[in-house]
Amino acid sequence: MDYTSPAERILRGILIALVLIFFLFPIFWIFLMSFQTNAQILRIPPSLFFTPTLENYTALITGRLQTASGVLELNFMNNLWNSLILSTVSVIISLFLGVPAAYAFARYKFRFSEDIAFTLLSFKFAPPLLVLLPLTMYFQAIGLANTYIGLIWIYQLITLPLILWIVRGYFEDISPDIENAYRIAGFSWARMFFKISIPLAMPGIAAAALLSFIFAWNNFVFALVLASADKQPVTVGALAFVTASGIQYGQIAAAIVLSIAPTLALAVVAQRYLVEGLSLGAVKG
């Protein structure tokens, strides 16, 4: 049994605390900024003590921002709803297409299989600006510009390669003997796939879905060019806080808090699900 001295435990605790402070302090500071006015945020030196206000959240929810040059109409809540629709539907479609494709690449070796898989993965690595101009012209020609369908289609370049490659690795780790035994027992391939393969690979599917959702949620370039204000997600809608009277730091901080809340909640739920799935045991060949 390994023995850890009190000094080592104290040192480990201090190091862990420093790492947590380093990564979590910016989020904590943004959370504090969301309850401050611009004057409080920009004062020097900054202070942790202030009179909190809900004006920033009220402006986002009501869609009316009071600035020095007048009242500015905001569309943030609609942007938040757009992000939720685009990211959720994109991940669902990618799961529907990517999970069976990942199983096929993991279990069956056919001609050009690795080339096809690498080509799909290269879509994730390609810079968006490389395909943005031809995609814009193509979408305008077929009428998909400034539509949810067009954006969801483009988001497949982000979500589908991630799901395909992550889930493929989990399927490869599952022993084919378990699936073969189920088939010998007289069950169909479809029943085996849904009753054996998918449950065993569920931790990987959940992780891939979570990462894909986060990447889709954070996308900026595609939505900026291919969508107008009524279809744009929060990443693009945040540009509205750069006004003629200055940058509205308080509203930006409040928008960040509201925009990360769905992904944070999903990460907490998925983490619990991943732990539950891993505790059931995964068989490796």
Side-chain angles (χ1 to χ4, degrees):
M1 183 175 61
D2 294 336
Y3 173 75
T4 303
S5 65
E8 291 176 337
R9 290 197 296 268
I10 293 174
L11 179 60
R12 183 182 302 172
I14 293 175
L15 293 177
I16 293 175
L18 290 175
V19 171
L20 290 176
I21 292 173
F22 178 80
F23 285 105
L24 295 180
F25 182 77
I27 300 177
F28 172 72
W29 192 256
I30 289 174
F31 180 75
L32 293 181
M33 287 174 56
S34 68
F35 295 99
Q36 302 180 53
T37 63
N38 262 17
Q40 292 172 326
I41 294 172
L42 297 176
R43 64 185 173 183
I44 298 176
S47 175
L48 291 175
F49 303 98
F50 58 90
T51 302
T53 178
L54 294 176
E55 292 180 357
N56 299 323
Y57 291 98
T58 302
L60 296 180
I61 295 174
T62 60
R64 295 175 61 84
L65 173 62
Q66 183 68 43
T67 65
S69 58
V71 178
L72 177 65
E73 297 292 334
L74 298 177
N75 205 21
F76 177 79
M77 298 307 294
N78 184 61
N79 296 139
L80 190 63
W81 178 247
N82 289 339
S83 290
L84 188 61
I85 293 176
L86 294 173
S87 301
T88 302
V89 177
S90 297
V91 171
I92 291 175
I93 294 177
S94 294
L95 287 173
F96 181 77
L97 298 175
V99 172
Y103 183 84
F105 282 116
R107 284 288 181 264
Y108 305 108
K109 301 304 179 183
F110 50 90
R111 191 177 184 183
F112 303 124
S113 61
E114 292 299 323
D115 295 331
I116 296 173
F118 182 79
T119 301
L120 293 174
L121 182 63
S122 66
F123 292 155
K124 182 68 183 69
F125 296 146
L129 295 178
L130 181 66
V131 297
L132 196 55
L133 179 59
L135 280 176
T136 302
M137 299 174 61
Y138 179 67
F139 272 35
Q140 289 176 348
I142 63 177
L144 287 180
N146 192 32
T147 63
Y148 286 120
I149 296 177
L151 287 174
I152 291 171
W153 189 358
I154 291 300
Y155 274 33
Q156 298 308 305
L157 297 175
I158 304 171
T159 57
L160 187 57
L162 274 176
I163 290 176
L164 177 62
W165 277 86
I166 294 177
V167 178
R168 177 189 179 182
Y170 271 79
F171 279 135
E172 289 176 343
D173 287 339
I174 299 173
S175 174
D177 295 336
I178 299 178
E179 299 175 346
N180 293 335
Y182 203 75
R183 292 295 306 277
I184 292 174
F187 295 99
S188 64
W189 178 91
R191 186 175 179 84
M192 177 272 299
F193 180 69
F194 287 105
K195 294 293 184 179
I196 299 297
S197 303
I198 287 185
L200 288 177
M202 191 57 71
I205 295 174
L210 174 61
L211 289 176
S212 299
F213 184 89
I214 293 174
F215 275 97
W217 186 278
N218 293 334
N219 180 258
F220 175 80
V221 176
F222 289 136
L224 176 65
V225 177
L226 296 175
S228 60
D230 62 327
K231 298 293 192 305
Q232 289 173 344
V234 290
T235 51
V236 181
L239 296 176
F241 301 112
V242 182
T243 66
S245 59
I247 301 176
Q248 308 300 318
Y249 294 102
Q251 283 78 31
I252 291 176
I256 292 174
V257 172
L258 291 179
S259 62
I260 67 175
T263 55
L264 182 61
L266 182 62
V268 172
V269 173
Q271 182 183 26
R272 295 173 58 186
Y273 183 78
L274 286 173
V275 172
E276 180 182 355
L278 290 173
S279 66
L280 297 177
V283 181
K284 292 187 177 183

